[in-house]
Amino acid sequence: MVPRHILVVIGHPDPSPERLCRALASAYADGAERAGHIVRRIDLALLDIPLLRTMQEFEHGAIPDSLKEAAEAVVWAEHFVFVFPLWLGTVPAMLKAFLEQVMRPGTAFAYPAKGESFAKSLLRGRSARLVVTMGMPAAVYRIWFLSHGIAGMRRGILNFVGIRPVRETLFGMVASTSKAKRAKWIGQMRLLGERGL
């Protein structure tokens, strides 16, 4: 197996070490490193992530100093793993703000040149996995809600900049899950990390 450059983004806004998202992200990263992959980790709860407020800022403003290393890691990565809780049916605001800052023109895509119709994706050839924890059953989110919140992230952000395939791993009913089941989930993440998927 060829080692991959893997970026693990912990998207839980709460820095508490007891969060399941942190255990899942650590298991993935540990498994990947053990298999010889090169892993970088970004913990959003530890970063200063300013909100973008204007199109001018998005298109022409500088990436904030607090996120320059993260933006460089986005360009470096061959595979992304985003681990986050489902909040109000979608990604936490902190993760959305992070993506708006680092998936900018010149980093993740380029606006069409004169005579061209479509933006140019600058992150082609990369892949991603979305690992999402939620209070409802995962099947209900997939079937009834059509995974609408994470589908927006997949299509509107990741696919737009060229990242595909984007695979999903959903863990439901996390508040009432047994320790044994959590341990099984953590083992599942470790195996995915070893495979670099």
Side-chain angles (χ1 to χ4, degrees):
M1 178 174 53
V2 178
R4 304 184 79 188
H5 289 182
I6 298 175
L7 180 61
V8 177
V9 178
I10 305 164
H12 202 305
D14 184 348
S16 172
E18 292 89 38
R19 295 289 165 221
L20 176 60
C21 284
R22 297 183 182 288
L24 296 170
S26 288
Y28 185 99
D30 292 346
E33 287 171 336
R34 229 178 285 143
H37 300 292
I38 304 160
V39 179
R40 291 188 188 178
R41 305 176 201 216
I42 295 175
D43 189 337
L44 299 191
L46 306 179
L47 295 178
D48 175 26
I49 306 173
L51 295 177
L52 282 171
R53 299 182 185 275
T54 67
M55 181 65 107
Q56 173 74 15
E57 188 181 357
F58 176 70
E59 292 180 338
H60 305 292
I63 291 176
D65 288 343
S66 60
L67 296 175
K68 282 183 177 173
E69 191 175 323
E72 188 275 325
V74 165
V75 174
W76 167 89
E78 297 170 326
H79 181 64
F80 299 84
V81 181
F82 295 94
V83 186
F84 58 91
L86 192 72
W87 282 9
L88 294 177
T90 189
V91 304
M94 183 177 282
L95 176 54
K96 180 68 163 53
F98 171 79
L99 291 169
E100 288 174 0
Q101 287 284 10
V102 300
M103 297 292 185
R104 290 207 200 189
T107 300
F109 72 97
Y111 284 114
K114 279 192 174 179
E116 295 179 346
S117 302
F118 299 103
K120 181 180 179 183
S121 302
L122 300 180
L123 299 179
R124 288 191 184 279
R126 276 84 161 179
S127 59
R129 178 169 297 276
L130 307 181
V131 180
V132 188
T133 62
M134 61 190 70
M136 73 177 82
V140 170
Y141 186 65
R142 282 188 193 279
I143 297 165
W144 181 256
F145 292 100
L146 303 175
S147 300
H148 71 284
I150 57 178
M153 177 181 175
R154 182 183 66 246
R155 290 193 301 262
I157 301 173
L158 301 178
N159 289 168
F160 175 71
V161 300
I163 300 171
R164 59 171 52 95
V166 177
R167 298 176 178 91
E168 298 169 8
T169 303
L170 308 183
F171 297 114
M173 303 294 288
V174 297
S176 59
T177 301
S178 67
K179 287 184 179 180
K181 192 159 193 179
R182 285 185 178 226
K184 182 179 176 184
W185 290 346
I186 289 167
Q188 179 183 342
M189 292 306 298
R190 193 171 288 114
L191 287 173
L192 286 171
E194 288 173 3
R195 296 168 61 196
L197 292 175

Short mmCIF file of all heavy atoms in Angstrom, two decimals, residues 18 30 46 50 52 64-65 91 99 110 112 115 120-121 124 128-129 133 142 146 153 169-170:
data_model
loop_
_atom_site.label_atom_id
_atom_site.label_comp_id
_atom_site.label_asym_id
_atom_site.label_seq_id
_atom_site.Cartn_x
_atom_site.Cartn_y
_atom_site.Cartn_z
N GLU A 18 -13.44 14.16 26.49
CA GLU A 18 -14.40 13.04 26.60
C GLU A 18 -15.30 12.90 25.38
O GLU A 18 -16.03 11.92 25.27
CB GLU A 18 -15.31 13.24 27.82
CG GLU A 18 -14.60 13.10 29.16
CD GLU A 18 -14.04 14.44 29.64
OE1 GLU A 18 -14.70 15.48 29.45
OE2 GLU A 18 -12.93 14.43 30.17
N ASP A 30 -4.42 7.21 14.53
CA ASP A 30 -3.47 6.21 15.06
C ASP A 30 -3.35 5.02 14.13
O ASP A 30 -2.25 4.53 13.86
CB ASP A 30 -3.91 5.75 16.46
CG ASP A 30 -3.79 6.84 17.51
OD1 ASP A 30 -3.13 7.87 17.23
OD2 ASP A 30 -4.38 6.67 18.59
N LEU A 46 -9.40 24.35 19.03
CA LEU A 46 -8.19 25.02 19.51
C LEU A 46 -7.75 26.18 18.62
O LEU A 46 -6.72 26.81 18.88
CB LEU A 46 -7.05 24.00 19.62
CG LEU A 46 -7.35 22.75 20.46
CD1 LEU A 46 -6.15 21.82 20.47
CD2 LEU A 46 -7.76 23.13 21.87
N PRO A 50 -12.06 33.25 12.49
CA PRO A 50 -12.92 34.42 12.26
C PRO A 50 -13.99 34.11 11.20
O PRO A 50 -13.77 33.31 10.30
CB PRO A 50 -11.95 35.49 11.74
CG PRO A 50 -10.58 34.96 11.93
CD PRO A 50 -10.69 33.47 12.03
N LEU A 52 -16.16 34.98 7.97
CA LEU A 52 -16.13 35.80 6.75
C LEU A 52 -17.45 36.57 6.69
O LEU A 52 -18.52 36.00 6.94
CB LEU A 52 -15.99 34.92 5.51
CG LEU A 52 -14.59 34.39 5.22
CD1 LEU A 52 -14.64 33.37 4.09
CD2 LEU A 52 -13.65 35.53 4.85
N PRO A 64 -6.56 34.32 7.44
CA PRO A 64 -6.07 34.77 8.75
C PRO A 64 -4.82 34.00 9.18
O PRO A 64 -4.67 32.81 8.87
CB PRO A 64 -7.24 34.48 9.69
CG PRO A 64 -8.43 34.38 8.81
CD PRO A 64 -7.94 33.87 7.48
N ASP A 65 -3.95 34.68 9.90
CA ASP A 65 -2.71 34.04 10.37
C ASP A 65 -3.00 32.75 11.14
O ASP A 65 -2.26 31.78 11.04
CB ASP A 65 -1.92 35.00 11.26
CG ASP A 65 -1.28 36.13 10.46
OD1 ASP A 65 -1.18 36.00 9.22
OD2 ASP A 65 -0.89 37.14 11.06
N VAL A 91 -23.65 20.57 9.72
CA VAL A 91 -22.34 20.69 10.36
C VAL A 91 -22.36 21.82 11.38
O VAL A 91 -23.09 22.80 11.21
CB VAL A 91 -21.22 20.94 9.31
CG1 VAL A 91 -21.22 19.85 8.25
CG2 VAL A 91 -21.35 22.30 8.66
N LEU A 99 -14.27 25.92 6.84
CA LEU A 99 -14.27 25.58 5.42
C LEU A 99 -14.36 26.83 4.55
O LEU A 99 -13.71 26.92 3.51
CB LEU A 99 -15.41 24.61 5.10
CG LEU A 99 -15.24 23.20 5.68
CD1 LEU A 99 -16.53 22.41 5.56
CD2 LEU A 99 -14.09 22.47 5.02
N ALA A 110 -10.41 27.98 -8.61
CA ALA A 110 -10.10 29.22 -9.33
C ALA A 110 -11.33 29.62 -10.13
O ALA A 110 -11.99 28.77 -10.74
CB ALA A 110 -8.90 29.02 -10.25
N PRO A 112 -13.48 31.04 -13.24
CA PRO A 112 -13.23 30.81 -14.67
C PRO A 112 -12.49 31.98 -15.31
O PRO A 112 -12.75 33.14 -14.98
CB PRO A 112 -14.62 30.65 -15.26
CG PRO A 112 -15.60 30.93 -14.21
CD PRO A 112 -14.89 31.07 -12.90
N GLY A 115 -13.81 33.59 -21.22
CA GLY A 115 -14.15 32.60 -22.23
C GLY A 115 -14.47 31.24 -21.65
O GLY A 115 -14.93 30.35 -22.37
N LYS A 120 -12.49 26.32 -11.85
CA LYS A 120 -11.54 25.22 -11.92
C LYS A 120 -11.30 24.67 -10.52
O LYS A 120 -10.95 25.41 -9.59
CB LYS A 120 -10.22 25.71 -12.51
CG LYS A 120 -9.16 24.63 -12.65
CD LYS A 120 -7.88 25.19 -13.25
CE LYS A 120 -6.82 24.10 -13.37
NZ LYS A 120 -5.55 24.65 -13.88
N SER A 121 -11.51 23.38 -10.35
CA SER A 121 -11.27 22.72 -9.06
C SER A 121 -9.78 22.49 -8.90
O SER A 121 -9.14 21.89 -9.76
CB SER A 121 -12.00 21.38 -9.01
OG SER A 121 -13.38 21.56 -9.21
N ARG A 124 -8.46 18.39 -7.20
CA ARG A 124 -8.81 17.13 -7.88
C ARG A 124 -7.84 16.03 -7.48
O ARG A 124 -6.67 16.28 -7.21
CB ARG A 124 -8.75 17.31 -9.39
CG ARG A 124 -9.88 18.14 -9.95
CD ARG A 124 -9.94 18.06 -11.47
NE ARG A 124 -10.97 18.94 -11.99
CZ ARG A 124 -12.27 18.61 -12.02
NH1 ARG A 124 -12.66 17.45 -11.57
NH2 ARG A 124 -13.15 19.46 -12.49
N ALA A 128 -12.22 12.03 0.50
CA ALA A 128 -12.57 12.43 1.87
C ALA A 128 -13.50 11.41 2.50
O ALA A 128 -14.16 10.63 1.81
CB ALA A 128 -13.21 13.81 1.87
N ARG A 129 -13.53 11.46 3.82
CA ARG A 129 -14.51 10.70 4.60
C ARG A 129 -15.12 11.65 5.63
O ARG A 129 -14.40 12.39 6.30
CB ARG A 129 -13.87 9.52 5.32
CG ARG A 129 -14.89 8.74 6.20
CD ARG A 129 -14.33 7.43 6.70
NE ARG A 129 -14.01 6.53 5.62
CZ ARG A 129 -14.89 5.72 5.01
NH1 ARG A 129 -16.16 5.73 5.38
NH2 ARG A 129 -14.50 4.92 4.04
N THR A 133 -21.35 12.01 14.13
CA THR A 133 -22.10 11.47 15.27
C THR A 133 -23.42 12.23 15.38
O THR A 133 -23.50 13.41 15.03
CB THR A 133 -21.30 11.60 16.58
OG1 THR A 133 -21.07 12.99 16.85
CG2 THR A 133 -19.98 10.87 16.49
N ARG A 142 -30.44 9.25 7.14
CA ARG A 142 -30.21 8.92 5.72
C ARG A 142 -31.51 8.89 4.93
O ARG A 142 -31.61 9.47 3.85
CB ARG A 142 -29.52 7.56 5.60
CG ARG A 142 -28.06 7.55 5.89
CD ARG A 142 -27.49 6.16 5.51
NE ARG A 142 -26.17 5.95 6.03
CZ ARG A 142 -25.05 6.41 5.46
NH1 ARG A 142 -25.12 7.12 4.38
NH2 ARG A 142 -23.87 6.15 6.01
N LEU A 146 -32.65 12.49 4.23
CA LEU A 146 -31.80 12.41 3.03
C LEU A 146 -30.39 12.95 3.27
O LEU A 146 -29.75 13.46 2.35
CB LEU A 146 -32.45 13.15 1.85
CG LEU A 146 -33.87 12.67 1.47
CD1 LEU A 146 -34.44 13.54 0.37
CD2 LEU A 146 -33.86 11.21 1.07
N MET A 153 -22.51 19.68 2.38
CA MET A 153 -21.05 19.79 2.54
C MET A 153 -20.35 19.00 1.44
O MET A 153 -19.38 19.47 0.84
CB MET A 153 -20.64 19.27 3.91
CG MET A 153 -19.13 19.29 4.14
SD MET A 153 -18.73 18.64 5.79
CE MET A 153 -16.93 18.63 5.70
N THR A 169 -19.43 7.91 7.16
CA THR A 169 -19.60 6.96 8.25
C THR A 169 -20.43 7.67 9.31
O THR A 169 -19.97 8.66 9.89
CB THR A 169 -18.24 6.53 8.84
OG1 THR A 169 -17.43 5.97 7.81
CG2 THR A 169 -18.42 5.50 9.94
N LEU A 170 -21.64 7.19 9.52
CA LEU A 170 -22.57 7.84 10.45
C LEU A 170 -22.76 6.97 11.69
O LEU A 170 -23.01 5.76 11.57
CB LEU A 170 -23.92 8.07 9.78
CG LEU A 170 -23.93 8.79 8.42
CD1 LEU A 170 -25.35 9.01 7.95
CD2 LEU A 170 -23.17 10.10 8.49
#
